[in-house]
């Protein structure tokens, strides 16, 4: 289970030592693992790439290459949530003061029994409170 923050960091080759260490751990863990993502993930990745482009980190000619790097995780994309699932996710978001987008990741990690890989502190705290193992925690 990987959120967009960690995959974007993989794509962009971040310089921060802690981020780089987390991405390296993610690369090791993801080998041979199923990477689950919610249905919004491809759009979120594309938006992250455009945001980096707007900050002049990359140019338009880098878009396809960065998307290709992101999709090297071979994500299994979840179905679009039904109304009952959205209500459950909204409750989770309220309980942990998350966006609905972030709560989708936590919910999917719980439903699939997956470890959550993310760079988002609030999402990781919520996952731990929900009993979900996060990348870097002892399994």
């Amino acid at each position: 289970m990987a959120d967009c923050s960690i995959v974007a960091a993989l794509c962009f080759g971040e310089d921060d030592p802690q981020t780089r260490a987390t991405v390296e751990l993610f690369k090791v863990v993801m080998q041979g693992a199923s990477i689950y993502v919610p249905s919004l993930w491809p759009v979120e990745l594309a938006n992250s790439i455009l945001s980096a482009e707007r900050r002049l980190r990359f140019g338009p000619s880098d878009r396809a290459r960065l998307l290709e790097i992101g999709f090297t995780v071979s994500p299994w994309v979840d179905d679009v949530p039904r109304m009952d699932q959205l209500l459950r996710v909204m409750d989770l978001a309220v309980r942990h003061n998350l966006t609905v987008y972030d709560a989708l990741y936590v919910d999917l990690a719980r439903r699939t029994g997956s470890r959550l890989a993310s760079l988002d502190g609030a999402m990781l705290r919520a996952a731990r409170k929900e009993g979900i193992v996060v990348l870097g925690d002892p399994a």
Side-chain angles (χ1 to χ4, degrees), residues 7-81:
V7 175
L10 173 72
C11 293
F12 302 158
E14 298 295 343
D15 292 332
D16 173 68
Q18 185 174 352
T19 301
R20 196 169 49 245
T22 302
V23 169
E24 288 304 314
L25 178 60
F26 173 65
K27 286 165 57 175
V28 169
V29 169
M30 76 178 199
Q31 291 177 5
S34 295
I35 305 296
Y36 297 97
V37 296
S39 58
L40 65 94
W41 182 89
V43 175
E44 199 173 11
L45 179 61
N47 189 64
S48 295
I49 292 167
L50 280 182
S51 292
E53 183 181 319
R54 288 178 181 137
R55 290 189 312 274
L56 304 177
R57 292 188 64 194
F58 304 99
S61 62
D62 296 308
R63 291 177 190 164
R65 176 182 62 81
L66 293 170
L67 277 174
E68 192 171 302
I69 292 168
F71 275 88
T72 62
V73 302
S74 301
W76 177 85
V77 181
D78 195 22
D79 294 330
V80 173

Side-chain angles (χ1 to χ4, degrees), residues 46-130:
N47 189 64
S48 295
I49 292 167
L50 280 182
S51 292
E53 183 181 319
R54 288 178 181 137
R55 290 189 312 274
L56 304 177
R57 292 188 64 194
F58 304 99
S61 62
D62 296 308
R63 291 177 190 164
R65 176 182 62 81
L66 293 170
L67 277 174
E68 192 171 302
I69 292 168
F71 275 88
T72 62
V73 302
S74 301
W76 177 85
V77 181
D78 195 22
D79 294 330
V80 173
R82 297 179 318 270
M83 192 168 112
D84 61 319
Q85 292 171 308
L86 285 174
L87 290 169
R88 183 183 65 238
V89 168
M90 291 167 75
D91 287 341
L92 183 65
V94 168
R95 193 164 53 248
H96 297 288
N97 197 29
L98 296 173
T99 66
V100 171
Y101 310 111
D102 289 350
L104 271 171
Y105 286 99
V106 175
D107 180 70
L108 183 57
R110 181 178 38 211
R111 286 189 292 118
T112 59
S114 301
R115 178 183 334 199
L116 178 61
S118 176
L119 298 174
D120 184 302
M123 189 188 309
L124 294 174
R125 283 188 296 281
R128 287 183 180 110
K129 287 179 182 175
E130 292 291 323

